[in-house]
Amino acid sequence: MAERMFALLEPALTREHDDGAGAVLVDGTLGAGGHTEYFLERLAGLHVVAIDRDTSAIEIASERLARFADRIEFHHNRYDEIADVVAATGRSAVDGVLLDLGVSSMQLDQAERGFAYSVDAPLDMRMNADDDLTAADVLNTYDHGALARVLSEYGEERFAGKIASAVLRERAKEPFTTSGRLVELLYATIPAATRRTGGHPAKRTFQALRIEVNHELDSLRGVIPASLKVLAVGGRLAVMSYQSLEDRIVKRDFATAVANTTPAGLPVDLPGTAPRFTLITRGAEQAKAAERELNPRSAPVRIRAIERIAADGRG
């Protein structure tokens, strides 16, 4: 869906600057560098500030984007640290921010990372290999209540309690180390009727473990306000969400940003209460059928975009 993300962000990245400088895009979720490559190939004057918490991603993207070395800089950070990253570049604002949430295709394709339930691999799921907590740690150390909460809240798993009970029972025999054993447990625990109609039985549990290990929703709650803060007037933020938990947070933060806080009934806006942002997308956009057929991983994507229309403190 790079083409659609480009269409949403291009107006902010092709504006003329008073100082003659080129536009700056922050790719907060660099991954293998596909989105950044798409933008750099099409906008000759663009400079990209690329962020990823995964050193493997930065290494892979650095090689892929070597021909753009003079127009890109890499930062090993979480995306909710965007304000610190932008400040470190010596800038006070940027023209665009792109966020492609969740696990990247590159991480899914690296079997040894343990993100995919289709192959037997170590239960790791860390986006940053320097972090301490792994999926195996969650399964082997969380008590029943904590594990059930993770599965229910982050995976929206209706059988969270039943799965947690099965995990505790099995780990008493032998700690969990690989994804294959967990998938077998899920097949045995989730009722057959649900398995036939609810998609792969491991999908929700793997999502929940990944979110817990990487504190993804905590980072997401921080990155939207921080990204809006670093946008210049006329700058845009575009976000791709892959599941309802992510999209609800983005939707809520965008709604807050575009709200007029003047008390109802007043004939004019009070100073400082008019919205400083406007929505570019109405609701959440989804991939077209042709895109979903070509790229099945785009099927759950929800896209939202927003533009800054006034500086902070202006009415």
Side-chain angles (χ1 to χ4, degrees):
M1 301 183 73
E3 183 178 348
R4 182 54 183 155
M5 296 296 278
F6 182 82
L8 290 169
L9 290 170
E10 182 185 20
L13 304 177
T14 52
R15 298 175 301 133
E16 290 189 8
H17 291 66
D18 293 338
D19 59 4
V24 178
L25 169 69
V26 176
D27 185 346
T29 49
L30 175 65
H35 279 119
T36 283
E37 182 178 48
Y38 193 95
F39 278 75
L40 288 171
E41 286 177 341
R42 287 158 180 77
L43 299 174
L46 182 67
H47 186 91
V48 174
V49 177
I51 301 173
D52 208 291
R53 67 195 300 179
D54 187 344
T55 54
S56 175
I58 292 175
E59 291 170 4
I60 291 170
S62 296
E63 292 185 17
R64 178 178 186 169
L65 303 170
R67 67 190 186 279
F68 302 113
D70 60 334
R71 293 200 285 136
I72 185 171
E73 54 189 281
F74 301 94
H75 296 265
H76 180 217
N77 293 85
R78 296 193 319 269
Y79 57 31
D80 56 333
E81 297 171 326
I82 184 172
D84 293 335
V85 171
V86 170
T89 70
R91 301 177 175 87
S92 58
V94 299
D95 301 284
V97 177
L98 184 158
L99 299 174
D100 185 357
L101 305 178
V103 64
S104 71
S105 294
M106 176 209 69
Q107 290 166 330
L108 285 171
D109 293 338
Q110 293 176 328
E112 70 278 7
R113 305 290 291 274
F115 288 107
Y117 43 77
S118 58
V119 293
D120 191 18
L123 279 165
D124 192 320
M125 299 193 192
R126 290 175 296 176
M127 293 180 177
N128 181 356
D130 295 332
D131 291 343
D132 295 326
L133 187 67
T134 68
D137 294 330
V138 175
L139 290 170
N140 293 323
T141 65
Y142 280 29
D143 63 26
H144 184 278
L147 182 56
R149 178 195 61 79
V150 167
L151 298 178
S152 176
E153 184 175 341
Y154 298 155
E156 300 181 293
E157 174 57 71
R158 16 183 317 220
F159 301 103
K162 189 174 182 180
I163 293 170
S165 295
V167 167
L168 266 64
R169 184 171 59 250
E170 289 301 312
R171 81 186 190 192
K173 303 173 186 176
E174 182 182 352
F176 283 88
T177 58
T178 64
S179 56
R181 184 173 171 223
L182 175 60
V183 171
E184 289 178 5
L185 178 146
L186 294 168
Y187 267 106
T189 305
I190 295 175
T194 301
R195 296 202 310 269
R196 286 194 293 269
T197 59
H200 197 289
K203 178 180 179 180
R204 291 175 294 277
T205 292
F206 272 60
Q207 173 183 299
L209 291 173
R210 191 198 77 222
I211 290 174
E212 174 69 7
V213 166
N214 297 289
H215 306 291
E216 290 179 40
L217 297 188
D218 291 336
S219 294
L220 178 55
R221 292 184 185 99
V223 71
I224 301 300
S227 297
L228 295 176
K229 187 173 182 179
V230 301
L231 283 181
V233 175
R236 293 186 172 191
L237 164 64
V239 185
M240 299 172 65
S241 304
Y242 287 79
Q243 36 97 350
S244 59
L245 297 174
E246 294 171 340
D247 187 54
R248 282 200 292 267
I249 292 172
V250 177
K251 178 181 179 180
R252 179 202 66 202
D253 286 352
F254 278 18
T256 299
V258 302
N260 188 319
T261 57
T262 293
L266 294 183
V268 296
D269 293 334
L270 296 178
T273 62
R276 297 184 294 278
F277 297 88
T278 187
L279 295 177
I280 304 304
T281 54
R282 298 298 172 183
E285 294 186 358
Q286 297 179 252
K288 298 187 184 323
E291 172 79 14
R292 294 197 297 270
E293 184 175 348
L294 182 66
N295 176 20
R297 289 178 181 172
S298 70
V301 174
R302 302 291 185 272
I303 293 178
R304 297 181 188 271
I306 193 170
E307 178 179 330
R308 179 183 280 276
I309 56 175
D312 288 338
R314 286 174 54 183

